[in-house]
Each structure stands twice: as structure tokens, then as C-alpha cells.
Amino acid sequence: MPIRKAIIPAAGLGTRMLPATKSVPKEMLPLADRPTIQYIVEEAVASGIQHITMITSRVKRALEDYFDDAPELRAVLERKGDTAALEMLDHTSRMAQFSFTRQHEPRGLGHAVLVARDLMGAEPFGVLLGDDLVDHPERPCLRQLMDVHERHGGCVIAVMRVPREQISRYGIAAIDSYGDLDARTHRVQGLVEKPSPEQAPSNLAVIGRYVLTPSIFDVLEQTPPGRGGEIQLTDALHTLGQSEPVYAYEFEGTRYDTGDPVGLITTSLAYALQRPDLAPGIRAYLRTLRLD
Ligand code: G1P
């Protein structure tokens, strides 16, 4: 079944980005001149997703406004004859069909996915986490996972190898043997959320892109709170993996973590340097820096 729908969990409080996130959703913080969420939505759309469900919470209304039409702004731009800005405005609100649904309590990523159960129905779907950006201009990360799902079925998780000292920041996959399906695709034997390096079954870290089958919902319903007292998607995938295939796919592309100030600034620089309209000014500034 082709994948048409995706969930973007966006209910988190964004405490690593305080004080900005006291009144601005972290998904609205910009990378160059676009909010982070725009890059995530563009990846989903470029992968073939038509319907996006965002899981939000209080203080996240700006997300709904951002993907809605803006008639007052449109009228001003029309008067000015600013066609480039008008095109950008239309593109943002018409890229996909958007739904917004609220997670009333912060009960974890697994619970956030469960909130969208009715909207996903009986179809496989994608999940994109807003803190992870993967740059691969030809084949977006979610598309890569969708291709694996089309070949093998089952759930597919994006993974990358991380250094030992970073293991405890991620969900970690246990696999049987490397490259049992192809060089990048491995059958998952188990998953553990944020283990210590000593307890980790590998260094294959889960990055925020998933293709999930609807069977995940029954498992999530039964998943008790795990790490941090939250309902973890990692735990539900571990359980589902005992009865259905779950694949780990070592994606192609450069991954950026935008979840903290250093990550946000470096990602912003990386994306701005790819933009012909912004790069010259940024390069000129960087050349003036005397770094040790
Ligand atoms: C979430 C997942 C974790 C995954 C990570 C990727 O954790 O629970 O398994 O490795 O995203 O960014 P979070 O960073 O939201 O705590």
C-alpha cells in the first residue's frame, strides 16, 4: 500500500531552547530564514506524503497559523506586486493537507503517535521528528525508508552509527548481522531506549524518521511508561519486532540535530551556506572571524 500520510510530533516543550520557547514553539525557530518545521514538511512532501498530521500542545498555535492561508499578508503583497513572496506564501499553505491534533499531557513520543491513530486509519505511515534534519537533496530520508518498506514491508527505522559517548542519547537497535538484506538494511532483533554504552547492543542509533505499520497502535496501547516515565515508541517497536519484521536502514545523507542552541546555529549556517542568496554575506562574515 503506498504511503500517503505522516505524523510530525510537535508537542514537546523545547526546554533546551528556553527562553525562546517560552512563547515560540521550537519548531518555529528559524534555520536561515525558514522555520525548522518547514524543512521537515518539505522532506515529507518531497518523499510523496500528501497528508500531514501534527501533534501539538498548548503554545503551539503558531504552527497552525504558519501552514494556513494569510489573507491580510496576501493583500499587502499583492498591492506591492511581490510575486516571489506570494509564491512562497502559497507554497507553504498548499504543500500538503494538514491536520492538527493535541496531545493533552506530555506522555512521551509513543503516546504522541497514538494520539493520531484515527487519522492514520489502517494504512502504513511516516513519522518525522522535528529535531532531526537529514540533508540529501536527491532522495529525502523518509523516501529512502518508504522504498525499503515497498521492497520488504514491515516497519522501517532510520539509523546511523554513533560514537560510544553518544549512545545514551538515542534509541539503539540490536541487529542479527550487518547487511543481511543489503549493505544498509538490517533486520532488527530488539531496541532499547537510551541505554548506557555498556548495556547498548550496538552503536546503531535511531534517528527521527520512521515508517510504521498500523499494528503499532495496538502495541502502543499496551506499552507501559518506560525511560523517563514516558510511553516510548522505541519500546513499542521492540515489542512489535517480536511478531512482525522491523528493519533498520542506514540512511544516506547528512544528519543535523537542531534541538539545542549549538545544533540550531550550526545547522542554520550549513543551510544558509547552500543558499546562493545568503551564502556570500555569511562567507564574508565568517572570513573575518579569527578562530583559534
Ligand atoms: C527520540 C527517540 C529516540 C531517538 C531520538 C532521535 O528521543 O525516543 O529513540 O533516538 O528521538 O533524535 P528524544 O531525542 O526525543 O529524547
Side-chain angles (χ1 to χ4, degrees):
M1 188 183 280
I3 297 177
R4 303 176 304 123
K5 297 181 182 177
I7 300 174
I8 302 182
L13 295 172
T15 50
R16 288 190 292 167
M17 296 302 292
L18 279 169
T21 46
K22 193 176 170 202
S23 64
V24 177
K26 69 171 173 176
E27 296 78 9
M28 291 304 295
L29 298 177
L31 295 170
D33 53 1
R34 294 172 194 174
T36 318
I37 190 75
Q38 171 132 7
Y39 297 85
I40 304 287
V41 167
E42 278 173 355
E43 179 189 326
V45 171
S47 300
I49 297 297
Q50 295 159 14
H51 189 147
I52 293 174
T53 296
M54 287 190 201
I55 313 301
T56 63
S57 59
R58 291 177 64 248
V59 211
K60 299 281 183 159
R61 201 160 293 149
L63 287 171
E64 290 187 42
D65 291 342
Y66 187 74
F67 292 101
D68 195 1
D69 281 332
E72 311 83 356
L73 196 52
R74 162 166 270 288
V76 171
L77 294 172
E78 268 168 2
R79 269 203 303 281
K80 283 167 85 180
D82 190 341
T83 44
L86 277 167
E87 269 170 35
M88 204 189 310
L89 213 63
D90 287 346
H91 169 69
T92 311
S93 54
R94 298 189 189 150
M95 270 189 289
Q97 198 189 335
F98 295 99
S99 304
F100 299 86
T101 188
R102 284 201 175 193
Q103 184 185 26
H104 299 291
E105 295 166 84
R107 293 180 60 197
L109 176 60
H111 180 258
V113 169
L114 189 53
V115 164
R117 179 174 198 158
D118 288 347
L119 286 157
M120 295 303 113
E123 298 175 28
F125 56 93
V127 176
L128 303 98
L129 304 190
D131 285 349
D132 290 310
L133 245 72
V134 182
D135 187 24
H136 192 285
E138 294 95 55
R139 224 158 61 93
C141 185
L142 184 65
R143 182 69 249 169
Q144 297 177 35
L145 304 191
M146 288 159 69
D147 289 344
V148 175
H149 172 82
E150 277 169 21
R151 271 200 303 280
H152 301 291
C155 294
V156 190
I157 311 168
V159 295
M160 74 179 198
R161 299 178 201 215
V162 296
R164 190 179 153 83
E165 64 276 12
Q166 291 181 15
I167 279 178
S168 60
R169 296 189 207 163
Y170 298 98
I172 301 290
I175 59 165
D176 208 14
S177 58
Y178 280 93
D180 46 355
L181 290 143
D182 62 56
R184 291 183 177 274
T185 317
H186 323 294
R187 174 91 189 241
V188 171
Q189 302 300 320
L191 285 154
V192 41
E193 180 70 2
K194 305 197 175 97
S196 65
E198 295 73 39
Q199 285 166 337
S202 76
N203 66 346
L204 283 179
V206 177
I207 297 308
R209 298 291 182 276
Y210 309 77
V211 164
L212 302 177
T213 62
S215 3
I216 195 72
F217 292 120
D218 280 344
V219 180
L220 280 169
E221 295 267 14
Q222 303 297 326
T223 301
R227 183 143 192 116
E230 297 188 336
I231 297 174
Q232 298 291 350
L233 182 58
T234 305
D235 295 345
L237 278 162
H238 172 84
T239 307
L240 185 61
Q242 315 307 309
S243 55
E244 262 193 27
V246 174
Y247 301 104
Y249 179 74
E250 292 187 65
F251 61 92
E252 292 173 50
T254 310
R255 181 261 184 167
Y256 298 94
D257 179 357
T258 64
D260 63 24
V262 172
L264 190 77
I265 293 163
T266 47
T267 314
S268 195
L269 263 181
Y271 278 77
L273 286 170
Q274 291 181 16
R275 288 262 304 269
D277 55 335
L278 304 179
I282 309 252
R283 275 184 202 287
Y285 171 66
L286 291 176
R287 274 193 217 101
T288 69
L289 296 179
R290 289 182 190 281
L291 303 172
D292 45 53

